[in-house]
Amino acid sequence: FFFQAEDGIRDAQESRGLGDVYKRQNMIKQKRKDKAGKWQVPIQKVKGLSEAEMFQVIRSGKRHKKVWKRKINKVTFVGDNFTRKPPKYERFIRPTGLRFKKAHVTHPELKTTFYLEILGVKRNPQSTMFTNLGVITKGTILEVNVSELGLVTQTGKVVWSKYAQVTNCLLYTSPSPRDS
């Protein structure tokens, strides 16, 4: 009686033990690493943000006892078709002053900066919840509209969008009393 792998790696050939399964798994892992190496991004690791940095707890209810609402303290992206839920049912509040629709994107080879429309947040390294909320922090990968730049593929098709990673994040500070 022999051990059968159930993940679809094994061929129809006779089993020679677990060694060949592990060899194939290592080959698959190596292929994944090679494929991932093609898509290097400028920032691989990002310092995690605490929940206190990201959210501010909002007290609600008649006696302000309920604490299930959160106000997002970071820049967010919301699409054109975004409508807020009724305030009574809204769990995450995105302030209008922190909603961005465009971003300054620097082309790595041309060393020029363009002000491009954001199409979506593809991945936030902090967590998938921040990706779903559209939160933009350092290391976030955005999809931006490059159709107006006139980029063309080798086959002659117009490039509609590209991915860009946030390498720096603006800090929003309140003005000091000396500034007024």
Side-chain angles (χ1 to χ4, degrees):
F1 139 87
F2 62 92
F3 186 81
Q4 179 73 32
E6 295 182 13
D7 55 3
I9 296 173
R10 185 171 303 276
D11 293 334
Q13 63 188 355
E14 180 112 7
S15 173
R16 291 172 284 175
L18 288 176
D20 58 337
V21 172
Y22 292 128
K23 286 178 192 172
R24 288 192 184 138
Q25 286 176 346
N26 287 335
M27 286 176 17
I28 290 170
K29 285 180 186 175
Q30 187 61 41
K31 283 182 184 177
R32 286 182 186 148
K33 284 181 186 176
D34 293 342
K35 197 178 266 189
K38 292 179 186 176
W39 305 102
Q40 288 294 326
V41 290
I43 302 173
Q44 279 85 20
K45 301 223 181 209
V46 179
K47 181 183 83 91
L49 291 173
S50 68
E51 195 166 313
E53 286 179 280
M54 186 64 73
F55 301 116
Q56 176 186 348
V57 176
I58 303 291
R59 293 182 169 272
S60 63
K62 188 172 181 178
R63 293 184 178 88
H64 296 286
K65 295 272 186 186
K66 298 178 181 173
V67 290
W68 56 271
K69 289 187 181 198
R70 302 284 185 266
K71 183 174 90 173
I72 300 174
N73 294 327
K74 299 292 180 190
V75 172
T76 58
F77 165 76
V78 292
D80 292 331
N81 57 358
F82 174 74
T83 54
R84 284 183 63 181
K85 290 180 181 174
K88 184 176 181 180
Y89 304 112
E90 190 174 33
R91 178 168 163 80
F92 295 104
I93 300 166
R94 301 174 183 107
T96 54
L98 294 176
R99 294 183 200 168
F100 279 26
K101 300 227 186 253
K102 291 191 167 194
H104 290 280
V105 179
T106 303
H107 194 281
E109 284 108 32
L110 300 176
K111 304 287 189 232
T112 54
T113 303
F114 303 102
Y115 190 55
L116 301 173
E117 181 184 349
I118 300 172
L119 297 175
V121 174
K122 290 299 156 199
R123 185 170 181 276
N124 189 320
Q126 305 294 332
S127 76
T128 54
M129 181 177 72
F130 296 160
T131 303
N132 295 338
L133 289 171
V135 176
I136 301 173
T137 58
K138 189 172 186 176
T140 303
I141 297 175
L142 304 172
E143 186 176 10
V144 292
N145 184 358
V146 294
S147 62
E148 55 215 37
L149 298 180
L151 297 176
V152 181
T153 63
Q154 292 176 344
T155 57
K157 294 180 180 176
V158 175
V159 178
W160 172 254
S161 66
K162 285 234 180 231
Y163 292 124
Q165 187 178 31
V166 178
T167 55
N168 62 342
C169 237
L170 300 175
L171 297 175
Y172 294 94
T173 57
S174 57
S176 65
R178 289 179 276 140
D179 294 340
S180 50

